[in-house]
Amino acid sequence: MKILIIGGSGGIGLSIVEKCLQHYSAANVIATYNSTSPELEHPRLRWIRLDVTHEESIKKLPDELGSIDILINAVGLLHTIDHKPEKSIKQFDVDFYKLNLHLNAIPSILLAKHFEMSLRSKNNTYYIVLSAKVGSISDNELGGWISYRSSKAALNMAIKTISIEWKQKLPNCCVLLFHPGTTDTQLSSPFQARLPEGQLHSPEVTATALLNIINNSTPHDSGKFISFDGSEIVW
Ligand SMILES: NC(=O)c1ccc[n+]([C@@H]2O[C@H](COP(=O)([O-])OP(=O)(O)OC[C@H]3O[C@@H](n4cnc5c(N)ncnc54)[C@H](OP(=O)(O)O)[C@@H]3O)[C@@H](O)[C@H]2O)c1
């Protein structure tokens, strides 16, 4: 078994790497980082540097790695040093909007484009993309965060579209969008103060929830937008 985790250096990604090594005791895990080379070492773990904004780098990977049983994309961006998510339209900045698309939406489309053949198998395979509930249009009652929300909504539409195309081409592949819930990472840290008690998960809890969802999903579930508690999220 081979598992590829894109963004394995992130707060949630690293916990997914650890849980996969524990849970799938015979699996080889390949994980990517961009800026930070993680310290985690394991005989069945290999780290690769990958910048997901560089299509040529993504394109080279499938030839090198061969078939993949589970592909998880845990890359994402909510804020930078210069930009917090917008509270009002006056704060809208074109470059920040593009950056959100480049990190939250486009990489998962490129991964699907280049790993299509790697995920084609007689056995069940999984393509799991980390999204966010704030990307749900129906659920949007608060407004704000226009760049992040838009990029996750674009991601959701793209992955839903890919799941429909793959029902024919890759009938054994289960494509899922996963909402991790607010998880204690650098991405959410500036926004944790006013959370109701009990609503902040550790990355370990989030990773365990994701593995439970994978274990309980089949290609029949392909195209779903699923929350950490297993419930489906409205589009
Ligand atoms: N945390 C939450 O509360 C929460 C809630 C809802 C949804 N999510 C979603 O869950 C996912 C993971 O979030 P997180 O909290 O784990 O975030 P995080 O700790 O900030 O991790 C972000 C990851 O993205 C990688 N990354 C950034 N730029 C990259 C690039 N150009 N190329 C390749 N990798 C790049 C980082 O790699 P390096 O560190 O190596 O640069 C890191 O692995 C995201 O999609 C996020 O939107 C999170």
Side-chain angles (χ1 to χ4, degrees):
M1 184 181 204
K2 212 184 294 165
I3 302 172
L4 173 58
I5 299 157
I6 310 294
S9 51
I12 295 174
L14 190 61
S15 273
I16 296 173
V17 171
E18 288 170 334
K19 284 284 157 203
C20 284
L21 287 165
Q22 284 167 20
H23 183 80
Y24 303 103
S25 55
N28 288 312
V29 176
I30 303 124
T32 75
Y33 66 94
N34 181 44
S35 57
T36 322
S37 177
E39 287 172 10
L40 179 66
E41 290 180 16
H42 191 283
R44 288 184 284 108
L45 172 64
R46 176 182 163 199
W47 286 105
I48 296 177
R49 181 165 188 275
L50 176 72
D51 178 352
V52 292
T53 63
H54 192 235
E55 182 171 2
E56 283 307 308
S57 304
I58 294 177
K59 193 176 169 184
K60 281 184 197 153
L61 276 184
D63 278 350
E64 190 188 331
L65 301 180
S67 62
I68 301 287
D69 298 282
I70 303 176
L71 170 56
I72 301 171
N73 182 16
V75 170
L77 169 117
L78 174 60
H79 54 89
T80 65
I81 294 170
D82 302 323
H83 284 279
K84 292 211 162 69
E86 308 87 346
K87 284 186 179 162
S88 94
I89 193 63
K90 290 283 179 219
Q91 294 165 345
F92 183 76
D93 177 90
V94 173
D95 289 336
F96 185 60
Y97 187 79
K98 285 182 185 167
L99 183 64
N100 272 266
L101 287 174
H102 280 294
L103 284 171
N104 292 330
I106 296 170
S108 295
I109 305 171
L110 293 176
L111 286 165
K113 176 181 172 186
H114 294 295
F115 278 93
E116 186 177 77
M117 294 313 291
S118 309
L119 287 167
R120 195 169 172 177
S121 171
K122 285 181 182 154
N123 303 315
N124 286 357
T125 60
Y126 295 84
Y127 181 37
I128 312 289
V129 174
L130 271 76
S131 183
K133 195 177 178 182
V134 295
S136 163
I137 293 173
S138 308
D139 185 69
N140 185 0
E141 289 176 3
L142 286 176
W145 294 19
I146 191 165
S147 296
Y148 186 71
R149 281 185 189 276
S150 304
S151 66
K152 291 293 188 181
L155 170 73
N156 290 352
M157 178 56 91
I159 297 304
K160 178 73 185 179
T161 301
I162 290 161
S163 77
I164 292 167
E165 182 176 333
W166 283 6
K167 276 187 199 287
Q168 298 292 324
K169 284 192 189 165
L170 280 72
N172 296 322
C173 184
C174 177
V175 180
L176 297 177
L177 288 148
F178 174 67
H179 165 61
T182 309
T183 305
D184 189 8
T185 69
Q186 74 82 31
L187 181 142
S188 69
S189 62
F191 312 99
Q192 294 174 3
R194 282 195 270 159
L195 272 182
E197 207 172 316
Q199 276 202 17
L200 183 66
H201 310 165
S202 68
E204 191 190 357
V205 165
T206 298
T208 303
L210 175 58
L211 262 58
N212 280 337
I213 286 166
I214 294 173
N215 288 337
N216 289 315
S217 300
T218 72
H220 290 292
D221 299 300
S222 199
K224 288 182 178 172
F225 182 15
I226 298 194
S227 183
F228 60 89
D229 62 5
S231 62
E232 266 191 78
I233 299 176
V234 292
W235 301 105

